Amino acid sequence: MKFYSWNVNGIRAVVKKGTFQAFVKEHKPDVLCLQETKAEQGQAEIDLAGYHEYWNSAVKKGYSGTAIFSKREPLNVINGFPKEFAKKFSFADELQRDSAEEGRVITAEFDKFFVVTVYTPNAKDDLSRLPLRHKHWDPAFLAYCKQLEKKKPVLFSGDLNVAHTELDLANPKPNRGKKGFTEEEREGFQNFLDAGFIDTFRMFTEGNGHYSWWSNFSNARSRNVGWRIDYWLVSEKLRKQVKKAEIHADVMGSDHCPVSVTVNID
């Protein structure tokens, strides 16, 4: 099965450009996870024959949001964190904005695995959301994935808004301590690995120069001055079934590009 993840930075715009339809036609994902949809279901004219679609939109219009498109109908779909689980964590930041209402997580359960996609809160330029991120969001998301894993293996994807190591961004030194490359955010990602999840791209590809997001300024994308902040991670149980993991930097339409993993699973 081919699993894809893409922060589209506004589904309506990428559909209007035609790049979304062209991408799906060419790549034919079995499961497609989207982040930053900035829309509710029906607001974008998407007619993907053969796909079931599920949306988790933010309460605030035109903001955040996630979706899953799947050729196979899931057994169950969960928007956000389950209420009983969420009670253990605080998701409000210093402005009392509730990140639990921002449509950031959606889970699809299949016969033999779970697929989870996440749009992790950005720490912000002034790092005002870093405490929310480090003390609440990242621990909550990891605990949630581990809870699911007790039932069956997990594949999770999304814009995690962090470059894990210096190999995951073009200019690590000037960005150290800034949003997306703070010690706290990097620790949050390392905790996923320490808990047994596998960064699938690094199973096949070493070194730098492999990025999934580029600034819209200074011709960053054409110069490949980017960051790898979009990922597919899988449970250790699935390691031997992972056949390929790729970054599709040639797919335009957003400031992010899709990332994918091919897994021998049914």
Side-chain angles (χ1 to χ4, degrees), residues 220-231:
R221 189 159 187 170
S222 63
R223 296 188 297 120
N224 198 30
V225 179
W227 298 53
R228 187 173 77 101
I229 58 175
D230 302 87
Y231 301 85

Side-chain angles (χ1 to χ4, degrees), residues 13-200:
V14 80
V15 166
K16 191 174 182 179
K17 294 172 189 172
T19 48
F20 181 77
Q21 301 91 316
F23 155 72
V24 173
K25 185 177 181 181
E26 179 182 349
H27 289 265
K28 300 178 176 63
D30 292 297
V31 176
L32 171 60
C33 299
L34 303 178
Q35 304 86 43
E36 212 170 352
T37 53
K38 299 182 180 179
E40 297 175 20
Q41 186 170 0
Q43 284 190 308
E45 293 184 20
I46 304 171
D47 184 18
L48 294 183
Y51 284 90
H52 303 275
E53 58 182 88
Y54 306 91
W55 297 66
N56 185 13
S57 301
V59 172
K60 179 182 176 181
K61 304 294 184 185
Y63 178 73
S64 189
T66 47
I68 292 179
F69 290 73
S70 177
K71 288 183 179 179
R72 184 184 305 181
E73 186 174 6
L75 302 176
N76 186 31
V77 174
I78 305 163
N79 280 355
F81 294 118
K83 288 184 179 178
E84 285 304 310
F85 175 88
K87 286 179 183 177
K88 304 173 187 176
F89 299 91
S90 171
F91 297 110
D93 62 14
E94 83 292 350
L95 298 179
Q96 296 304 302
R97 295 175 301 182
D98 191 345
S99 59
E101 295 182 353
E102 294 174 349
R104 292 184 176 276
V105 180
I106 185 168
T107 304
E109 179 181 2
F110 297 90
D111 286 334
K112 296 182 180 178
F113 56 91
F114 287 100
V115 171
V116 186
T117 199
V118 61
Y119 177 40
T120 301
N122 188 306
K124 301 295 183 187
D125 287 335
D126 62 1
L127 301 183
S128 59
R129 268 195 151 183
L130 186 59
L132 161 74
R133 171 81 180 269
H134 183 238
K135 296 178 181 177
H136 299 286
W137 184 273
D138 284 352
F141 186 70
L142 174 56
Y144 175 58
C145 289
K146 292 303 287 185
Q147 179 174 297
L148 293 176
E149 199 177 43
K150 291 178 182 177
K151 188 174 180 182
K152 57 186 80 170
V154 173
L155 304 92
F156 76 81
S157 71
D159 175 359
L160 299 185
N161 262 317
V162 61
H164 178 217
T165 75
E166 291 192 354
L167 296 176
D168 295 314
L169 70 168
N171 294 316
K173 288 184 180 179
N175 284 294
R176 186 173 284 112
K178 296 183 180 179
K179 69 172 183 180
F181 202 54
T182 63
E183 291 301 320
E184 293 89 342
E185 291 165 299
R186 296 170 67 191
E187 176 187 297
F189 187 92
Q190 184 61 44
N191 288 339
F192 293 129
L193 305 186
D194 292 345
F197 289 102
I198 310 299
D199 179 357
T200 57

